[in-house]
Amino acid sequence: MDGTSLANVRNIGIVAHIDAGKTTTTERILFYTGKIHKPGEVHEGDTTTDFMVQEKERGITIQSAAITCEWKGRTVNIIDTPGHVDFTMEVERSLRVLDGAVCVFCAVGGVQPQSETVWRQADRYRVPRVAFVNKMDRMGADFTRVVEEMRDKLKANACPVELPIGKEDGFQGVIDLLEMKGIIYDEASEGKNFTVGDVPAALKDEAELARAELCEKIADIDEGVMEAYLENGDLTAEELRGAIRRQVVAGAFVPVLCGTAFKDKGIQPLLDAVVDYLPAPTDRPPVTATDLKSGTAVTRKHDPQELLTALVFKIASDTYGRLFFVRVYGGVLKKGANVYNPRTKKRERVMKIVRLFADDRTEVDELRAGDIGAIVGLKDATTGDTLCAEMKPCYLERITAPQPVMFLAIEPKSGADKDKLVESMAELAAEDPTCQVRQDEETGQTILSGMGELHLEILVDRLKREFKCAANVGKPMVSYVETVTAPAIKSFTFDRELGGKRHAVTMAIEVRPLERGKGRVVEVGRDVKNALPDPKLAECIEQALMDGVMTGVLARYPMTDLSATAVRVELVDPDVSDEIALRGAAVMGFREAAEAASPEFLEPIMKLEITTPPESVGEVLGDLNARRGTVLDMEQRGDMQIVHARVPMAQMFGYATAVRSLTKGRASYSMEPDTFDIAPRAVREELLSR
């Protein structure tokens, strides 16, 4: 792929709140680009991207799926992502490697909680966006309100480039504000046929005002058209199109389109917006990496002539074996070639390369800069690893996985199933960084952690169906974590005789609290490294500190938001200060330091949005108060009241039934993880007494 053809590539994601219509929109895109002959429906379980059995049964997207199509001479690589909060990691790692995104909003629901989450994720990776307000045919659809919510809640510089023609059942098409033309869709042709004509007379004044607002917003931020706007008071369609593209690529503007994917209206203009406004790989700034040897920042251009730089952003099991999804940023990844993994410091061989179309695979010989595909043959790679040229190794920023908030105990039904269950769970954990597996040393149980009840349900279902593992499963429980709230330093002397040999060392460990969400940091101080007879022993100390962090000091829960540093070491005798002594001193020193650093439990707090009839607000608020909830604010949306609150996750079991009972079945809610807060005394005492 040369530079010219690379400019014709669009790597985009479809992201949104659950039930906003992402998969239906993706299905219509495939239909109108000619990749499929008949669009599937989510409720029928026959869509292209929802190919897992669990997705078909539940009518939701669980795993992100990659597909490729063509539109007006451009290659569009699309990743359809989940909308359910339990699978937010799929969105995170997809946005990490994409050049642009289509954010889908429900015309009735507007900016919903998961809409805000995916928007923040796109902000984190500076992903340019276009917005598509879907479900314009639904009762209560309000295009103007959704645009206002984007501006207020998301702080987006959003402006319509289309207006709807008709509303709710009367929605017929859209007005193109750049060309000032009306597009009316023929329902009998499944949206393939449409008529382009003058703007309907009844909407002409509204369209002219909207176009004037669009021109003014663009002229305010784009110097390239400001002079023309000031001279003429207007901009041509081509001037607008070029300026919108520049500002979308710069992340300064979000064009808003509308339609109804289910009723086949508005998809072709959305495809035009994807190729007209969203960036090609060549439009994105060079990717920044860190040189492995010097630790300095280096850049890699999106160019096949660059040194190989690629990121493993997802792992999946397949008939091919284990598939490693990669985005190539620079250079060329070739079949049969050796690649270098700077994390493991090992060379690995690429056995096969495939391009993806949902669950179909096509073998190719290479992936070039800007391409997204999958490779087979790696042994030690994990999500977030960099693959690079060994002559000048570098590594890209890793993908950060959120902290699991729920867990369950799982055990094999028979001794014969034990090894198979362990291997299968390790496979799931390799695929999904938010799936964590650990062994409870006191009970001997295997603990499976995840992002919520649905996530755990899917993981257990996959163990039984895909991996054929018979297992006994406990009830889901809240995944508490531990932390420290004050700094402390403690020394510990490990001096024992094991197997006729003395193992002795004294080590000082410093523990400090970190801000919420900063995770775990374990380090070996410079003085300790200088005192060690072998530099490799520093890795042994780091691993021992991490073991201590992961087992906690209060009730065996993993610890987070703290740093643990080995600050001083005294070798009783270099000849007897070996790995056993260093590991023992590090673990026990950490435990004593953590116990002295005022340890506390942290409980996961959920952000909750409840949509309820006004007459039921009192009952809903009373119930939230009983659940230790905090109401943040309330707003009116149509004839319904929206309550925003924060509630401990431990209080949310069975909430779906409770809120329906309180409101006679008329309320709905959605929630997402917000943060971890220090658990109150009553919860602490309960956890310590277990």
Side-chain angles (χ1 to χ4, degrees):
M1 185 184 295
D2 58 26
T4 305
S5 56
L6 190 58
N8 291 327
V9 172
R10 302 290 183 272
N11 294 316
I12 68 164
I14 311 288
V15 298
H17 185 89
I18 190 169
D19 286 337
K22 298 178 303 302
T23 300
T24 302
T25 301
T26 305
E27 198 72 5
R28 294 312 188 270
I29 286 174
L30 296 178
F31 178 58
Y32 295 124
T33 56
K35 292 297 289 188
I36 57 176
H37 300 297
K38 185 180 186 304
E41 305 296 349
V42 172
H43 59 274
E44 297 288 346
D46 61 353
T47 59
T48 305
T49 52
D50 286 352
F51 54 82
M52 290 176 63
V53 174
Q54 293 83 359
E55 292 175 319
K56 294 177 183 291
E57 289 178 347
R58 292 166 175 79
I60 61 171
T61 302
I62 294 170
Q63 285 193 344
S64 54
I67 51 179
T68 301
C69 56
E70 304 282 334
W71 184 254
K72 294 188 175 178
R74 272 81 164 191
T75 299
V76 184
N77 298 316
I78 302 174
I79 295 182
D80 177 30
T81 65
H84 196 285
V85 63
D86 284 13
F87 310 107
T88 189
M89 183 60 190
E90 290 290 306
V91 185
E92 181 83 17
R93 56 186 175 186
S94 297
L95 287 173
R96 172 69 174 81
V97 299
L98 292 169
D99 300 318
V102 174
C103 293
V104 181
F105 296 90
C106 173
V108 181
V111 176
Q112 297 166 286
Q114 192 66 5
S115 308
E116 297 183 54
T117 300
V118 298
W119 197 270
R120 288 195 303 270
Q121 289 171 312
D123 281 342
R124 187 179 307 130
Y125 297 117
R126 297 181 178 85
V127 178
R129 279 145 274 180
V130 300
F132 180 64
V133 180
N134 192 29
K135 302 189 178 184
M136 288 299 302
D137 59 316
R138 290 269 303 277
M139 184 175 293
D142 190 334
F143 179 70
T144 302
R145 175 177 57 79
V146 178
V147 175
E148 288 302 319
E149 286 187 6
M150 289 178 63
R151 293 168 177 169
D152 294 340
K153 293 184 178 182
L154 305 178
K155 309 304 178 190
N157 187 17
C159 187
V161 293
E162 290 180 350
L163 289 183
I165 299 176
K167 61 186 298 187
E168 299 177 348
D169 287 344
F171 180 71
Q172 298 175 292
V174 298
I175 297 171
D176 180 347
L177 293 178
L178 276 71
E179 301 286 352
M180 286 301 281
K181 295 289 185 182
I183 304 172
I184 306 293
Y185 286 86
D186 173 24
E187 292 193 24
S189 67
E190 294 183 306
K192 282 186 175 181
N193 299 330
F194 51 86
T195 304
V196 179
D198 293 334
V199 175
L203 297 172
K204 194 167 182 62
D205 289 345
E206 182 184 352
E208 287 177 350
L209 285 172
R211 192 180 195 283
E213 181 190 14
L214 174 63
C215 290
E216 185 175 344
K217 275 187 173 289
I218 285 295
D220 280 347
I221 59 176
D222 191 279
E223 293 181 1
V225 296
M226 185 183 293
E227 187 176 337
Y229 178 72
L230 292 174
E231 284 184 7
N232 306 320
D234 194 11
L235 295 170
T236 66
E238 285 308 310
E239 286 173 331
L240 266 175
R241 194 169 285 111
I244 291 173
R245 177 177 177 77
R246 287 192 294 273
Q247 298 310 315
V248 169
V249 170
F253 186 74
V254 181
V256 187
L257 300 93
C258 61
T260 166
F262 184 62
K263 294 292 181 66
D264 308 299
K265 298 182 178 75
I267 301 300
Q268 294 93 331
L270 175 61
L271 277 164
D272 289 341
V274 166
V275 300
D276 287 345
Y277 305 141
L278 290 179
T282 49
D283 295 316
R284 300 283 279 158
V287 67
T288 301
T290 303
D291 185 273
L292 183 63
K293 295 177 181 177
S294 67
T296 57
V298 294
T299 58
R300 295 285 186 266
K301 297 177 183 177
H302 301 279
D303 188 339
Q305 303 302 317
E306 267 280 13
L307 290 169
L308 174 65
T309 309
L311 183 74
V312 177
F313 68 93
K314 178 176 174 173
I315 301 173
S317 297
D318 190 86
T319 52
Y320 278 86
R322 189 177 280 188
L323 277 179
F324 297 83
F325 288 60
V326 295
R327 161 69 192 262
V328 182
Y329 287 99
V332 180
L333 187 63
K334 295 185 177 181
K335 177 181 176 180
N338 289 325
V339 293
Y340 185 73
N341 185 333
R343 180 183 62 84
T344 62
K345 298 181 175 60
K346 291 181 180 178
R347 184 189 305 127
E348 297 206 54
R349 190 174 181 82
V350 177
M351 304 305 294
K352 290 180 182 176
I353 300 179
V354 295
R355 286 195 180 276
L356 308 158
F357 186 77
D359 56 343
D360 288 336
R361 318 286 187 232
T362 303
E363 283 197 44
V364 295
D365 292 329
E366 63 183 25
L367 294 174
R368 301 170 73 83
D371 282 343
I372 292 175
I375 58 179
V376 180
L378 306 184
K379 291 183 173 62
D380 298 320
T382 61
T383 299
D385 278 358
T386 301
L387 304 178
C388 64
E390 190 171 358
M391 67 183 81
K392 287 190 177 179
C394 65
Y395 56 91
L396 298 161
E397 179 187 356
R398 294 189 67 83
I399 302 170
T400 304
Q403 180 79 26
V405 296
M406 196 169 282
F407 72 91
L408 52 77
I410 186 168
E411 59 185 24
K413 284 196 171 180
S414 67
D417 295 325
K418 183 177 180 180
D419 290 343
K420 187 175 183 181
L421 181 63
V422 170
E423 291 174 7
S424 300
M425 286 197 291
E427 192 75 25
L428 287 178
E431 291 184 20
D432 183 357
T434 57
C435 164
Q436 296 182 6
V437 182
R438 65 182 174 89
Q439 203 77 19
D440 189 310
E441 293 181 2
E442 291 193 12
T443 65
Q445 289 180 311
T446 300
I447 305 299
L448 182 66
S449 300
M451 296 304 297
E453 288 182 271
L454 179 60
H455 188 206
L456 291 174
E457 181 187 326
I458 296 297
L459 291 172
V460 171
D461 191 53
R462 291 188 63 196
L463 281 172
K464 292 178 178 178
R465 289 197 196 188
E466 291 180 32
F467 297 95
K468 304 294 188 294
C469 288
N472 296 317
V473 181
K475 290 183 178 179
M477 300 178 70
V478 173
S479 185
Y480 294 92
V481 291
E482 300 175 18
T483 192
V484 296
T485 58
I489 299 179
K490 287 289 181 178
S491 293
F492 184 86
T493 299
F494 184 95
D495 191 348
R496 297 185 189 169
E497 187 170 314
L498 300 171
K501 182 181 178 182
R502 187 185 178 202
H503 304 271
V505 72
T506 297
M507 191 179 301
I509 305 297
E510 180 181 30
V511 171
R512 288 186 173 276
L514 299 178
E515 292 180 21
R516 289 288 164 267
K518 293 298 184 181
R520 313 170 178 101
V521 178
V522 297
E523 297 175 315
V524 176
R526 185 179 298 277
D527 290 344
V528 175
K529 288 181 178 178
N530 291 337
L532 294 174
D534 184 349
K536 292 182 179 178
L537 292 174
E539 295 181 13
C540 165
I541 296 173
E542 281 189 5
Q543 185 58 55
L545 289 174
M546 184 57 74
D547 289 345
V549 168
M550 295 308 294
T551 51
V553 294
L554 291 175
R556 305 187 312 279
Y557 290 108
M559 304 190 76
T560 190
D561 298 340
L562 83 164
S563 67
T565 308
V567 293
R568 189 173 63 256
V569 66
E570 296 175 17
L571 304 178
V572 177
D573 182 344
D575 294 332
V576 298
S577 302
D578 55 11
E579 283 194 21
I580 294 176
L582 290 167
R583 179 177 289 276
V587 170
M588 298 308 297
F590 168 78
R591 290 188 65 84
E592 291 193 0
E595 287 169 357
S598 303
E600 293 283 358
F601 290 106
L602 293 177
E603 62 175 351
I605 306 297
M606 308 301 288
K607 186 186 291 183
L608 188 65
E609 182 182 282
I610 309 162
T611 304
T612 178
E615 60 269 22
S616 300
V617 167
E619 290 85 348
V620 169
L621 295 183
D623 181 68
L624 285 175
N625 187 56
R627 295 173 186 271
R628 295 195 286 123
T630 303
V631 176
L632 302 176
D633 61 61
M634 297 169 60
E635 62 175 301
Q636 193 79 21
R637 186 180 294 167
D639 59 351
M640 300 293 275
Q641 194 77 26
I642 310 298
V643 179
H644 300 276
R646 296 172 77 247
V647 187
M649 187 172 195
Q651 304 296 322
M652 293 306 295
F653 288 98
Y655 187 68
T657 303
V659 76
R660 290 186 188 120
S661 175
L662 289 169
T663 62
K664 298 178 182 178
R666 295 181 63 195
S668 62
Y669 77 97
S670 61
M671 66 178 180
E672 61 174 333
D674 184 27
T675 186
F676 279 80
D677 279 351
I678 293 177
R681 182 174 296 277
V683 175
R684 176 189 172 97
E685 291 175 357
E686 180 191 344
L687 293 173
L688 289 174
S689 65
R690 285 182 180 177

